[in-house]
């Protein structure tokens, strides 16, 4: 267990006395939560069936809170390496504003609560997938594989993809092929997105001893893998239209955005810069990848509404 | 709760630390109050929606049960 790093109280005041509500909120990783809410909400619109708006709100709330709980448990477990990286050193645990036991209790209560409410208010299929998503992120990704394999981001991608399954199941009560295609899209999108980021903050990960691909296999191999995953991603994004599961309004967007994505991945693959200052293609791909996912899921929702 | 209550307030706190502690505790209490109120509204809303049968995926009433 890695949360044994003692929290250093500020000015000799015990850590729990220093926290205000913003510190608890920061434990939820609100920026990650926005992506989870967006993709889950899009999946709910795309799923067949109807739902009372209040229950739809409840489902999205449960998915968001579950993602936040997973984030809190992740921070509880990783307080030691968070303290070593500039990007994460100001989080509540490494900053000494919260005690590890508080973060653990906060995460467990929120995670359990979100699963129970999802089960009682929506259905138990969605609740089961919600529980799987939390356990996968915390146990499989955070505790087991993140520090053991350079493919940690690939596994993390699966964890980030579960909300679409939960959202779809909340509406329809099952998880058909289209739900798993959406899962695959986020799963394959995650490595190029995070490796692009990892390339220009590689030194941070090296300092923390996290075996990120740029640290273990070098920059050239990471760039090659970014291109490889991008080439795998784009056909999967077009698959819904090819299989008749979505219209060509979505398909056209997927093809257009996909060509742009691959073009940027090619520019990354051709780049040889070792210093962050020369990594404009990587920064461009990282920013574009966020826009890409938003447009893709936005197009899916528009397509579904047009067809309806 | 041991370690967080007034009974165990560190004796060597400065005025600024004591003031910061009270401000933060108040902010936590207000946030907790809001969360509890929101939960009450959420559970009430879920109950109303489910009891009025506005859930497409909900199980059908048993045969012979009186219609709503």
């Amino acid at each position: 267990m890695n949360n044994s790093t003692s929290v250093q109280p500020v000015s000799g005041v015990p850590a729990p006395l220093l926290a205000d509500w913003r510190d608890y909120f920061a434990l939820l990783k609100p920026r990650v939560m926005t992506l989870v809410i967006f993709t889950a909400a899009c999946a709910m619109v795309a799923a067949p069936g109807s739902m009372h708006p209040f229950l739809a709100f409840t489902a999205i709330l449960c998915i968001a809170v579950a993602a936040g709980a997973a984030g809190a448990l992740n921070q509880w477990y990783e307080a030691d390496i968070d303290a070593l990286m500039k990007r994460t050193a100001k989080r509540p645990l490494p900053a000494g504003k919260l005690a590890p036991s508080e973060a653990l209790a906060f995460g467990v209560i929120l995670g359990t609560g979100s699963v129970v409410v999802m089960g009682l208010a929506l259905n138990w299929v969605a609740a089961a997938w919600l529980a799987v998503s939390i356990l996968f992120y915390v146990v499989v990704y955070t505790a087991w594989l993140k520090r053991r394999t350079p493919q940690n981001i690939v596994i993390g991608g699966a964890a980030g993809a579960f909300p679409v399954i939960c959202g779809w199941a909340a509406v329809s009560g099952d998880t058909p092929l289209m739900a798993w295609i959406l899962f695959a899209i986020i799963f394959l999108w995650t490595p190029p997105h995070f490796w692009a980021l990892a390339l220009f903050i590689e030194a941070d990960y090296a300092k923390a001893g996290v075996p990120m691909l740029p640290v273990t296999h070098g920059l050239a191999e990471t760039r090659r893998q970014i291109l490889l995953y991008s080439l795998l991603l784009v056909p999967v994004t077009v698959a819904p239209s090819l299989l008749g599961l979505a219209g060509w309004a979505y398909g056209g967007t997927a093809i257009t955005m996909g060509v742009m994505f691959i073009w940027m991945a090619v520019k990354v693959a051709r780049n040889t810069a070792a210093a962050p200052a020369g990594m404009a293609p990587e920064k461009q791909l990282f920013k574009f990848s966020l826009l890409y996912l938003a447009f893709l899921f936005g197009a899916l929702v528009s397509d579904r509404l047009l067809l309806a | 709760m041991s370690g967080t209550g007034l009974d165990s307030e560190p004796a060597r706190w400065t005025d600024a630390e004591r003031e910061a502690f009270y401000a933060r505790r108040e902010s936590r209490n207000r946030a907790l109050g809001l969360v509890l109120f929101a939960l009450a509204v959420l559970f009430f809303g879920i109950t109303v929606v489910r009891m009025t049968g506005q859930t497409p995926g909900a199980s059908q009433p048993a045969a012979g049960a009186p219609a709503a």
Side-chain angles (χ1 to χ4, degrees):
Chain A
M1 200 168 80
N2 301 286
N3 67 321
S4 54
T5 305
S6 62
V7 175
Q8 294 301 316
V10 180
S11 308
V13 181
L17 301 186
L18 292 164
D20 73 6
W21 67 270
R22 291 173 194 84
D23 298 311
Y24 289 92
F25 188 66
L27 275 183
L28 303 176
K29 295 192 176 179
R31 280 204 293 184
V32 176
M33 213 191 264
T34 53
L35 185 67
V36 165
I37 291 170
F38 175 72
T39 54
C42 289
M44 287 174 70
V45 175
S50 59
M51 176 181 268
H52 191 281
F54 194 83
L55 291 184
F57 167 77
T58 304
I60 291 174
L61 184 69
C62 287
I63 293 168
V65 171
L73 292 170
N74 168 274
Q75 289 188 50
W76 163 73
Y77 194 84
E78 296 197 328
D80 58 341
I81 56 173
D82 280 351
L84 300 173
M85 293 194 287
K86 194 166 68 178
R87 187 171 65 89
T88 53
K90 288 181 181 170
R91 285 177 175 173
L93 285 172
K97 292 178 179 174
L98 279 174
S101 58
E102 281 190 304
L104 175 63
F106 187 63
V108 169
I109 290 168
L110 287 187
T112 310
S114 62
V115 170
V116 171
V117 172
M118 180 71 107
L120 292 173
L122 279 306
N123 62 67
W124 289 101
V125 175
W129 283 115
L130 201 59
V132 168
S133 72
I134 297 171
L135 292 173
F136 190 91
Y137 186 69
V138 176
V139 179
V140 178
Y141 172 66
T142 303
W144 181 20
L145 294 173
K146 183 173 178 180
R147 302 189 197 204
R148 286 181 174 82
T149 167
Q151 292 296 319
N152 47 19
I153 285 303
V154 179
I155 296 134
F162 273 115
V164 294
I165 298 292
C166 300
W168 193 291
V171 176
S172 69
D174 60 2
T175 55
L177 176 64
M178 184 60 188
W180 289 105
I181 291 176
L182 295 183
F183 177 93
I185 289 172
I186 299 175
F187 175 69
L188 292 170
W189 166 88
T190 306
H193 170 73
F194 273 106
W195 279 332
L197 171 73
L199 279 169
F200 54 87
I201 59 165
E202 177 228 353
D204 235 15
Y205 284 112
K207 191 176 157 192
V210 178
M212 289 293 279
L213 199 62
V215 179
T216 58
H217 288 69
L219 305 184
E221 176 60 18
T222 306
R223 288 173 170 130
R224 199 181 71 82
Q225 297 261 348
I226 285 176
L227 181 58
L228 183 71
Y229 273 95
S230 303
L231 291 171
L232 288 171
L233 166 67
V234 174
V236 175
T237 63
V238 184
S241 296
L242 292 174
L243 296 171
L245 299 169
W248 283 101
Y250 163 79
T253 308
I255 292 170
T256 310
M257 299 291 282
V259 169
M260 292 167 73
F261 198 98
I262 289 175
W263 170 239
M264 288 185 192
V266 168
K267 286 205 292 183
V268 168
R270 283 181 177 170
N271 192 17
T272 54
M279 292 189 185
E282 285 80 358
K283 290 172 186 169
Q284 190 185 26
L285 177 65
F286 176 71
K287 285 178 188 167
F288 179 75
S289 62
L290 286 166
L291 200 66
Y292 174 79
L293 200 68
F295 266 80
L296 207 61
F297 275 74
L300 185 70
V301 168
S302 307
D303 190 271
R304 189 52 60 112
L305 295 176
L306 283 174
L307 286 178
Chain B
M1 192 168 76
S2 176
T4 57
L6 280 175
D7 55 326
S8 59
E9 184 181 294
R12 283 175 293 177
W13 267 6
T14 63
D15 287 345
E17 282 177 332
R18 186 173 288 106
E19 196 174 315
F21 160 66
Y22 283 122
R24 283 166 180 155
R25 191 176 67 171
E26 189 180 340
S27 87
R28 281 191 307 203
N29 290 347
R30 282 178 189 275
L32 188 60
L34 272 175
V35 167
L36 290 174
F37 178 74
L39 275 177
V41 172
L42 182 73
F43 293 148
F44 178 73
I46 292 169
T47 307
V48 169
V49 171
R50 290 202 64 110
M51 285 185 74
T52 52
Q54 298 178 62
T55 50
S59 56
Q60 299 300 311

